[in-house]
Amino acid sequence: MGSIAGPGSRFPTGVQALPVDAPVVDFIDLLKRDGGVIIRNFVPLDIIDQANKEIWPQIEKEQAWSGEFFPKETRKCTSLVRHSPTYTNRFLMHPLYQAVADHFLTTRNHFWWGNSWKESVSKPQAHTGAAMCIGPGAKAQPLHRDDYLHHNVHTEVDIWDDGRDRMRESAVGLFVAGSDTSVANGATRFIPGSHLWGNYERKSPPDESLAVYAELNKGDAFFMFASCFHGGSANTTTDSHRLVYSTFVTRGWLRQEDNMYLSIPHDVLMQYDRKIQKFLGYSCSDPGCGLVDDLDPIYQLYPEELAKAVPQDY
Ligand SMILES: O=C(O)CCC(=O)C(=O)O
Ligand SMILES: [Fe+2]
């Protein structure tokens, strides 16, 4: 970590915190170097309060998780797009997050198609969104890599290489602080540099002593590759609840963690604009994944356009 040359070497060693208006390339380079970077003042506090109000009824009625992954003291609001327009419009669609996700998760390749050397460009899509409120007394989540969902098997590398690693990441995470988060109340911890680790080269479990806590003020955020070892931490307080909005965006040709088609009712979907609908999965991944009767799925939402739509090459 904190390598000699390579992306992000102009920054001091250690996990960095940048203001939201820092250049996008700084966030990109620090992700390549460390796998995670903190963003100060990602959204204003009144926006956080609005989102918190929208999700709170769900948090209150959530059933406790049975198993090891979430402690019984954690309550969640899953399917955030369904429950919180503020989350959708201001966190998921935040221009900085969109730019960073677009950078790492757009897939561009060339293929022979008859005599044409055709370029296909698949754009990223929403993957999952859940708010997590860790209550007093909760145990730490096991350290894990979220990209195991996509069976993303990594080879061990020393340093990020743009050419070699352009397909390496399958998802980019955004954690927005709905409350202050600290070592004491369960801040997300992660192992900087662990996005460069191999799956099969490392024979021992992730070393907890390497973990760094992404301590955030309410309204701050944290970007992290899904390939980094991380987890929610223990809440050792007696009275503080840690609330974080967790989001992942993935490649257009991968299956989404949240089944957006079944979890977002039609009337809710139609309250969002077309750009958001497409990002949620109502669009094709170029070339030709996600079709309905050979047509782009967005037409299912606009029957007046469907009548005139014609199937085309992709
Ligand atoms: O709550 C957190 O800080 C992280 C949660 C997490 O890693 C997960 O649910 O996969
Ligand atoms: Fe996770």
Side-chain angles (χ1 to χ4, degrees):
M1 226 216 80
S3 38
I4 323 98
S9 56
R10 64 187 178 280
F11 291 96
T13 308
V15 178
Q16 299 295 300
L18 304 181
V20 67
D21 57 358
V24 179
V25 68
D26 290 356
F27 294 98
I28 289 171
D29 284 351
L30 285 167
L31 278 164
K32 290 175 186 172
R33 188 187 77 173
D34 297 335
V37 56
I38 290 169
I39 312 109
R40 295 291 179 211
N41 300 310
F42 184 69
V43 283
L45 292 181
D46 60 316
I47 297 299
I48 298 285
D49 288 337
Q50 182 66 32
N52 288 358
K53 210 159 74 186
E54 289 166 1
I55 62 149
W56 205 251
Q58 298 305 314
I59 297 268
E60 284 193 318
K61 67 178 179 219
E62 248 266 320
Q63 290 282 326
W65 185 269
S66 159
E68 294 291 307
F69 195 60
F70 292 103
K72 64 182 189 324
E73 293 83 1
T74 293
R75 292 290 183 279
K76 297 193 288 172
C77 172
T78 49
S79 197
L80 279 174
V81 171
R82 173 158 102 235
H83 298 295
S84 176
T86 304
Y87 159 83
T88 308
N89 292 312
R90 303 298 298 266
F91 303 1
L92 177 67
M93 301 307 291
H94 192 291
L96 176 61
Y97 184 41
Q98 288 283 315
V100 167
D102 198 73
H103 178 85
F104 286 108
L105 302 172
T106 298
T107 312
R108 280 174 201 280
N109 285 298
H110 280 83
F111 304 93
W112 280 116
W113 200 89
N115 291 327
S116 326
W117 181 234
K118 250 190 163 176
E119 185 183 40
S120 293
V121 182
S122 171
K123 301 303 283 181
Q125 60 177 338
H127 186 22
T128 182
M132 298 168 192
C133 182
I134 304 183
K139 286 197 303 196
Q141 241 190 346
L143 289 171
H144 60 280
R145 292 174 123 168
D146 271 25
D147 64 354
Y148 90 119
L149 266 65
H150 281 137
H151 289 252
N152 196 7
V153 174
H154 295 278
T155 49
E156 181 94 14
V157 295
D158 288 337
I159 200 169
W160 180 278
D161 178 279
D162 283 335
R164 182 197 57 210
D165 296 327
R166 70 195 180 85
M167 303 276 283
R168 186 172 176 97
E169 295 304 322
S170 56
V172 176
L174 164 71
F175 299 85
V176 179
S179 68
D180 291 348
T181 80
S182 64
V183 173
N185 79 359
T188 308
R189 72 201 189 288
F190 88 115
I191 302 185
S194 58
H195 60 303
L196 305 174
W197 292 3
N199 277 64
Y200 292 114
E201 291 90 335
R202 299 207 170 218
K203 307 293 179 207
S204 46
D207 179 353
E208 279 284 354
S209 72
L210 300 175
V212 168
Y213 289 73
E215 291 189 293
L216 306 175
N217 300 317
K218 185 174 165 181
D220 290 346
F222 175 56
F223 290 144
M224 191 196 71
F225 283 149
S227 57
C228 278
F229 277 100
H230 71 284
S233 302
N235 185 332
T236 56
T237 71
T238 51
D239 57 357
S240 171
H241 286 77
R242 188 229 67 170
L243 180 62
V244 161
Y245 292 79
S246 157
T247 303
F248 282 87
V249 166
T250 191
R251 293 190 186 262
W253 42 270
L254 288 169
R255 190 161 182 189
Q256 294 156 294
E257 179 175 354
D258 291 354
N259 189 321
M260 303 280 175
Y261 311 104
L262 296 178
S263 58
I264 306 167
H266 185 78
D267 59 329
V268 174
L269 191 62
M270 296 315 288
Q271 287 165 19
Y272 290 121
D273 66 29
R274 195 172 176 124
K275 181 175 175 203
I276 297 178
Q277 292 162 345
K278 288 167 111 83
F279 193 61
L280 295 173
Y282 290 81
S283 56
C284 275
S285 166
D286 180 32
C289 275
L291 297 159
V292 178
D293 293 333
D294 280 347
L295 295 172
D296 190 299
I298 194 73
Y299 293 121
Q300 297 302 308
L301 306 184
Y302 298 96
E304 65 289 358
E305 293 178 33
L306 180 61
K308 287 181 259 151
V310 199
Q312 290 174 359
D313 287 346
Y314 39 78

